[in-house]
Structures are given as C-alpha cells and as structure tokens.
Amino acid sequence: MRQLMALKAEGRIEEARQHGLLQLGLKPQDAELHYEVAGLHDQLGREQDAIPLYCKAIALGLGGDALRGALLGLGSSYRSLGQHEAALTALEQGLARFPQASEFKAFRAMVYYNQSRHKEACEALLGLLAQSTSDPALTPYKGAMALYAEDLDRRW
C-alpha cells in the first residue's frame, strides 16, 4: 500500500492503479486496498471499473472515513454513468451511516436534478446552503433559506 500511496502522491495515477491491481491479486480481502484502487479508477474517469471495487471494499467491512469516501465514490460513479437509482441507494446508505455528512446531500441533489426532480434538488441545495454558509451577505437570511428549503413553493 505504501508504494501505491507514494505513486498517487506523485500524481502517477495510472502507475498507482496498475500497482494497486497487482496488489489486489495478492491481497484480495484487503478492504482499504479495494477502496484506494477504486478511487484511482475514478480519478482516471473509469467509473465503470471503480464500482465493483467500491462494492467489494464495502462488503469486506470497510469502516470510518474510508467507508464514507467509498459510499460517496460509489454514488458519484453510479450518477456519472446515469444509474440514478443505484446512485440514490448508495448516497442514502451514506446519509444513514453518516447523517451529518453534507457531501451526501449535495450529491443526492445532483441525482435529483438528473431525475428531473428539480424542486427537490433546489430545496436540498438551499437547505445545505442555509446550514453551511458563512458568507456575511447570506448569514442574515439563513432562517429564511432553511424555511424555503422545506417547501420552495410555500406562500404566506
């Protein structure tokens, strides 16, 4: 794993991917290795190849921040390939496991957009903005944004 990480740090992503694939042949039960190699595939635009690696990493019991990254990578990869239901499943699993992880909410909003669920996408992003912004021009309106995030069509 050390050599894979060194190659990755040097920006030698394809070499790191090739090395990782060789290592997977030697360590087929290494969840972290599956996760790292999946991420390398993603970086190279090979989402189709990343998906089974993310799934295997998760199935092998990946935990902590790596699990968080794998679920997000899996959802993102599915989304980029147009597999929106699978993307939502992965992202919802991520939110269930990491409820405060806003990255899952942002990527879920992108899937909603891809599914032409524009209102839900906008509400989700508005809620995320209300929750996370520190922009002094927006902070006075956090409450209003949070309220509208519940139902953008609401009228008073």
Side-chain angles (χ1 to χ4, degrees), residues 7-153:
L7 290 167
K8 182 178 171 182
E10 293 171 10
R12 297 162 57 188
I13 305 304
E14 178 57 31
E15 289 177 64
R17 185 186 77 84
Q18 291 293 331
H19 177 74
L21 289 171
L22 290 172
Q23 290 301 303
L24 283 175
L26 300 171
K27 301 175 185 176
Q29 300 302 310
D30 188 327
E32 284 278 339
L33 184 59
H34 277 83
Y35 168 59
E36 289 297 335
V37 176
L40 294 167
H41 280 84
D42 255 352
Q43 284 185 271
L44 293 167
R46 300 176 70 152
E47 288 85 357
Q48 189 71 47
D49 297 322
I51 288 171
L53 294 165
Y54 283 130
C55 290
K56 182 74 172 182
I58 294 164
L60 287 171
L62 194 66
D65 287 341
L67 175 60
R68 185 172 170 168
L71 287 167
L72 185 67
L74 181 60
S76 176
S77 292
Y78 278 134
R79 189 198 75 77
S80 70
L81 294 172
Q83 298 176 31
H84 301 126
E85 289 305 318
L88 275 180
T89 298
L91 296 169
E92 292 293 343
Q93 287 174 349
L95 272 171
R97 187 73 188 261
F98 305 97
Q100 301 305 315
S102 56
E103 65 269 24
F104 291 106
K105 295 173 186 177
F107 277 79
R108 183 179 60 184
M110 288 187 266
V111 175
Y112 287 163
Y113 173 83
N114 293 135
Q115 294 178 318
S116 297
R117 295 166 63 181
H118 301 123
K119 180 180 182 230
E120 289 170 271
C122 189
E123 288 172 350
L125 291 175
L126 193 55
L128 196 53
L129 181 63
Q131 174 189 354
S132 63
T133 190
S134 59
D135 183 333
L138 293 176
T139 53
Y141 306 104
K142 280 183 165 188
M145 288 187 293
L147 185 62
Y148 281 117
E150 293 174 15
D151 182 1
L152 199 52
D153 292 325

